Amino acid sequence: MELSEAIAELDALEAAGLAAFREAGSPEAVEAARIEYLGQKQGKIKAAQQRLKQVEPSARKDYGQRFNAVKTALEAAWESAKARVDRPAAASGLDVTLPGTPRPRLGHRHPLTQTADELIDLFGRLGFGVARGPEVEDVFHNFEALNIPPAHPARDPADNFYLSDGALLRSQTSTIQIRVMERQPPPVRIVAIGRVYRPDAVDPTHSFMFHQIEGLMVDRGVTMAHLKSTLRLFAEGYLGTDVKIRFRPSFFPFTEPSVEVDMLWHGGDRWVEMGGAGMVDPDVLRAVGYDPEEVTGFAFGLGVERLCMRKHGIDDIRLFTTNDVRFLSQF
Ligand code: FA5
């Protein structure tokens, strides 16, 4: 074979091979071009190499040189085609060095929801299960079963949100004590968290809607000592071991004796009431069918907003309901 003819074939092979790799748009197409041109068995480069034997011996050196150049060019074209189809984003003109789109801002649970979960968790570790009750209550559960007779000032329409037909928005979570005891025999050890409603004048520590966490423990031999140590353990667990709380004698129609529990407020210059508590009145136990000669119990009802405020140094209860993200995003 004439050298010029053989070289012309190599030129044509190079041009066709380069075009094939340039036009291959997918990993499959690149692989097909590789097999066609660079394949070990039947590739066109292999065939061109074998053609060396047909070239006159004196021209083999020139043919060999040109052959090596074509082979190197096709291998390089294969490498760059591979890199191109492996990175389609780069080939499509996407500039990966541009600043990204900001991640969407995720919301989170309201501080009071977080507080409720923490309180339930803490009392859970002290052995208290969780109970629930309705926010729209009847007069029986909100007052009567709690020893609050019809003429009692706590029933005053000015102090409650009455709806129709002897129903009202519950003014305390103590209603749940009754509902739990109606449902199950002793022993009982539960907490219940929920909203309560009172037409109180609003100030930094009072709202007309707030949350209470109610606790109830009824069993043989439950005493005031159990109540005090439970509340102290809870306060230290939630507010830290350096918290200062104090118990004051008080009165509730459904507990005897009764106490109020205060916590030293942030700043340390005044006491704020955390909740009410006491030993469940024997009449209340009797009304739900428990035998006060057999079992005794304690109950407490604590203000959830105030606990959260004391823990996080919040100075105004209204912040919980004004939906200011500068406040909410801190939790
Ligand atoms: C009661 O509601 C009783 N049911 C508590 C109780 C339960 C006593 C079981 C005995 C046995 P009191 O009205 O004091 O008690 O309210 C309890 C707590 O709720 C208060 O100490 C305070 O922390 C919170 N609280 C009361 N009123 C408001 C209000 N307007 N805004 C925010 N928190 C309040």
Side-chain angles (χ1 to χ4, degrees):
M1 186 190 248
E2 289 287 320
L3 177 63
S4 60
E5 197 186 330
I7 294 284
E9 274 185 17
L10 280 176
D11 291 346
L13 170 60
E14 182 184 48
L18 290 179
F21 285 118
R22 199 168 46 238
E23 283 154 24
S26 66
E28 295 73 26
V30 171
E31 177 60 6
R34 183 194 68 77
I35 291 170
E36 181 177 353
Y37 289 93
L38 300 170
Q40 282 300 316
K41 289 192 183 131
Q42 306 198 325
K44 291 183 172 165
I45 277 288
K46 190 82 187 166
Q49 190 180 20
Q50 283 160 357
R51 222 169 294 134
L52 181 69
K53 293 182 213 122
Q54 300 166 21
V55 176
E56 292 164 40
S58 61
R60 281 186 190 162
K61 188 169 169 231
D62 289 342
Y63 183 86
Q65 269 173 0
R66 179 68 187 128
F67 168 81
N68 283 337
V70 172
K71 187 176 176 211
T72 307
L74 291 189
E75 281 169 351
W78 173 51
E79 290 294 346
S80 68
K82 256 200 316 189
R84 175 167 46 77
V85 296
D86 280 353
R87 279 191 283 116
S92 73
L94 180 80
D95 185 348
V96 293
T97 63
L98 283 176
T101 354
R103 276 221 258 169
R105 280 191 18 195
L106 275 187
H108 57 77
R109 290 171 310 146
H110 190 276
L112 286 178
T113 312
Q114 296 184 34
T115 303
D117 289 349
E118 286 173 49
L119 300 183
I120 283 175
D121 183 58
L122 240 168
F123 277 110
R125 280 186 264 150
L126 294 173
F128 288 77
V130 176
R132 268 168 229 293
E135 280 180 37
V136 174
E137 262 297 1
D138 51 46
V139 165
F140 176 76
H141 288 94
N142 203 87
F143 299 123
E144 209 168 308
L146 290 164
N147 261 352
I148 306 174
H152 195 282
R155 292 203 186 195
D156 194 323
D159 291 334
N160 294 282
F161 289 111
Y162 282 99
L163 307 168
S164 54
D165 304 335
L168 74 166
L169 295 174
R170 71 180 170 205
S171 64
Q172 50 184 345
T173 44
S174 298
T175 53
I176 304 171
Q177 291 180 32
I178 304 301
R179 291 187 173 276
V180 169
M181 290 191 287
E182 282 172 339
R183 271 201 306 266
Q184 69 165 86
V188 178
R189 208 194 295 189
I190 57 94
V191 286
I193 290 199
R195 287 195 193 98
V196 301
Y197 303 83
R198 294 178 194 178
D200 285 353
V202 174
D203 68 20
T205 52
H206 289 85
S207 175
F208 47 85
M209 180 204 77
F210 57 100
H211 294 72
Q212 288 185 335
I213 177 164
E214 191 81 9
L216 174 68
M217 176 169 176
V218 184
D219 204 343
R220 286 175 199 278
V222 174
T223 69
M224 194 79 183
H226 295 125
L227 169 61
K228 288 184 75 176
S229 49
T230 300
L231 286 178
R232 195 169 286 284
L233 264 177
F234 158 72
E236 289 180 0
Y238 183 64
L239 297 171
T241 45
D242 56 346
V243 68
K244 295 236 172 353
I245 62 168
R246 70 178 184 191
F247 295 86
R248 281 183 289 115
S250 186
F251 175 80
F252 295 101
F254 39 95
T255 48
E256 179 59 35
S258 302
V259 290
E260 261 164 350
V261 194
D262 298 332
M263 51 190 161
L264 195 59
W265 206 235
H266 31 269
D269 53 355
R270 68 184 174 118
W271 294 91
V272 168
E273 195 188 302
M274 177 167 113
M279 299 304 295
V280 182
D281 193 294
D283 284 345
V284 173
L285 294 176
R286 229 172 267 124
V288 293
Y290 285 15
D291 181 356
E293 301 298 325
E294 285 286 318
V295 291
T296 50
F298 68 68
F300 57 83
L302 316 177
V304 174
E305 278 79 357
R306 291 189 189 175
L307 285 166
C308 177
M309 289 166 76
R310 171 65 178 74
K311 178 164 178 135
H312 297 288
I314 299 163
D315 55 14
D316 198 321
I317 197 168
R318 285 164 282 204
L319 286 166
F320 290 119
T321 45
T322 39
N323 274 348
D324 185 337
V325 285
R326 290 169 304 179
F327 170 72
L328 294 173
S329 62
Q330 295 178 48
F331 294 88

